[in-house]
């Protein structure tokens, strides 16, 4: 009984239903086009600062470098350094240091250079199903610390890591800005 009442109303008032349908289709198409439009993302840096924990020197390394790297003493002492400033980057200071565990380094390297075209379909499916495992390994094995000598390393995903990676506050003017090479 209710269905026949609805049908009668639709038959009596076809124009509003047709116009409403067209409007809904146009809105759906507009949203689809909006979601699929390319996003202009800022270009990724080509290099980062690195700090040698054995002697305190600062260098730049390619953005593809995965710390820790071999430092001046031949040991894994060269770690990524993040600099911040409240004025100009000429007056920057180290905010925190970052390195990866061995497992995270291996996973990060694999994610950066996935196995190529020689994979079978089964190998490709197996790799794709393992992606989240590698991403978790990187997230859990990313360690940060303050630059003070002897400071403790913390997982970046934990509360202490989140606090360490927060940009420092500037006196009265908000947060410090990051400085890149």
């Amino acid at each position: 009984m209710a269905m026949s009442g609805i049908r009668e109303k639709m038959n009596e008032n076809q124009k509003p239903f047709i116009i409403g349908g067209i409007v809904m289709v146009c809105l759906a198409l507009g949203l689809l086009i909006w979601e699929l439009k390319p996003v202009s993302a800022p270009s990724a840096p080509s290099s980062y600062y690195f700090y040698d924990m054995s002697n305190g020197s600062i260098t730049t390394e390619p953005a593809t470098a995965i710390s820790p790297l071999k430092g001046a003493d031949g040991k894994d002492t060269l770690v990524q350094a993040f600099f911040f400033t409240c004025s100009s980057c000429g007056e920057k200071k180290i905010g925190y240091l970052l390195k990866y565990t061995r497992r995270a380094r291996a996973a990060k390297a694999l994610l950066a250079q996935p196995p190529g075209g020689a994979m079978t379909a089964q190998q490709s499916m197996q790799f794709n199903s393992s992606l989240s495992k590698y991403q978790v390994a990187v997230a859990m094995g990313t360690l940060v610390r303050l630059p003070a000598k002897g400071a403790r390393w913390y997982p970046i995903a934990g509360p202490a890591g989140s606090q360490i990676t927060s940009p420092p506050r500037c006196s009265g003017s908000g947060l410090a800005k990051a400085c890149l090479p």
Side-chain angles (χ1 to χ4, degrees), residues 121-143:
Q122 183 178 359
Q123 289 170 323
S124 179
M125 284 178 26
Q126 185 176 4
F127 176 77
N128 289 335
S129 68
S130 300
L131 278 177
S132 62
K133 177 179 79 172
Y134 297 128
Q135 291 165 336
V136 167
V138 170
M140 299 307 291
T142 303
L143 305 174

Side-chain angles (χ1 to χ4, degrees), residues 38-64:
V39 176
S40 61
S43 61
S46 60
S47 62
Y48 287 109
Y49 289 114
F50 279 74
Y51 174 80
D52 194 328
M53 296 187 305
S54 67
N55 64 12
S57 66
I58 304 293
T59 61
T60 58
E61 297 291 334
T64 55

Side-chain angles (χ1 to χ4, degrees), residues 84 95-97 144-146 152 154 159-167:
F84 294 92
Y96 65 93
L97 305 174
V144 293
R145 74 166 230 200
L146 294 172
R152 183 173 171 216
Y154 293 96
S162 295
Q163 187 175 9
I164 289 170
T165 58
S166 296

